[in-house]
Amino acid sequence: MVTLLFGPPGCGKGTQAAFISRLLGIPAISTGEMFRAERESGTPLGKKVSEIMAQGGLVGDDIVNEVVASRLSRADCGAGFLLDGYPRTIPQAAFLDGILLKGPWSPPAIIYLDVPDSVLVERISSRRQCPSCGRIYNLLHQPPRREGVCDMDGTALIQREDDNETIIRARLRTYKESTGPLLDYYAKRSLHRIDGNRSPEQIHRLLEAVLGPALAQMSEKHTCCSNSRGLP
Ligand code: AMP
């Protein structure tokens, strides 16, 4: 099953992507995480995107599309995948449509996590991440058990360099200008708008309600197709 997870920076995509990935047994692919990994490893791609990311801008469509196409061609995406942070522009969405048409997948489930700007700025400023396992904390609502340290592996938590208020506002502006039109693009298909201004657990329940029936429908289809291939 393919799932596209949308929402402005700080809406909780990372946390919910991990939840959906476990729920559906598919890899969660975050273009932001991929670019951060390239930047940290100092690869030519990482160097190219580093400045754009630091300013809260968008990496060029050609670069992002190439990175995503290469990732989706890997074997672990055969049964589906979740995309977090991609597509972010109409050309990216059109490019993804082309990949999905050629591949073995059904049309995607499209989810939008809706959160007001004021909440986003507060959330992002207090966001911290474990550089080792990637777990995300929020100093206000989901703090680590011991200050500044990851619950899972004891690594010192970091604040992303683009998680400060000036950059956050730039990222929200970029998001609205570039990604807002995507909602219109996908409105003609079944777009599930979910209230992201709730606790992670409440959002999990809402996601289960949306994705559960789609998942059941797909396994029914699978059984039906297996039977139509000559099984008794
Ligand atoms: P994110 O972690 O999704 O907020 O992404 C962090 C940064 O990576 C963004 O602010 C962009 O600079 C870049 N980025 C991630 N995904 C995309 C994308 N689909 N298109 C363009 N730039 C992206």
Side-chain angles (χ1 to χ4, degrees), residues 7 40 60 85 92 97 104 106 121 168 178 192 196 206 217-218 221:
E40 258 103 77
Q92 290 180 16
D97 278 346
S106 307
V121 172
I168 293 164
S178 309
H192 303 280
L206 294 173
Q217 216 175 25
M218 282 184 51
K221 229 186 201 170

Side-chain angles (χ1 to χ4, degrees), residues 31-32 35-36 53 57-59 64 85-86 88 92 160 171:
T31 41
F35 289 135
R36 275 188 286 283
M53 291 176 76
L58 284 184
V59 176
V64 191
Y86 179 92
R88 255 173 159 99
Q92 290 180 16
R160 273 169 49 177
R171 285 165 64 201

Side-chain angles (χ1 to χ4, degrees), residues 33-54:
E33 284 298 333
M34 288 166 85
F35 289 135
R36 275 188 286 283
E38 296 283 339
R39 193 182 54 190
E40 258 103 77
S41 311
T43 64
L45 174 61
K47 286 184 186 137
K48 211 185 228 172
V49 300
S50 166
E51 182 68 13
I52 302 170
M53 291 176 76

Side-chain angles (χ1 to χ4, degrees), residues 130 137 143-158:
C130 171
Y137 296 86
R145 282 195 292 273
R146 198 150 64 83
E147 201 184 321
V149 171
C150 178
D151 293 349
M152 310 303 285
D153 52 34
T155 308
L157 301 180
I158 54 160

Side-chain angles (χ1 to χ4, degrees), residues 145-218:
R145 282 195 292 273
R146 198 150 64 83
E147 201 184 321
V149 171
C150 178
D151 293 349
M152 310 303 285
D153 52 34
T155 308
L157 301 180
I158 54 160
Q159 181 172 28
R160 273 169 49 177
E161 65 178 20
D162 55 352
D163 275 358
N164 69 66
E165 185 161 347
T166 316
I167 301 291
I168 293 164
R169 295 214 178 264
R171 285 165 64 201
L172 287 177
R173 266 197 310 277
T174 307
Y175 177 80
K176 287 207 175 106
E177 283 161 18
S178 309
T179 318
L182 272 184
L183 293 183
D184 296 333
Y185 184 90
Y186 285 116
K188 296 172 205 106
R189 313 182 197 180
S190 60
L191 174 87
H192 303 280
R193 199 178 271 267
I194 287 188
D195 179 4
N197 192 17
R198 297 175 179 230
S199 73
E201 292 71 27
Q202 285 172 322
I203 300 173
H204 290 176
R205 303 290 85 78
L206 294 173
L207 287 171
E208 278 170 344
V210 164
L211 293 170
L215 194 60
Q217 216 175 25
M218 282 184 51

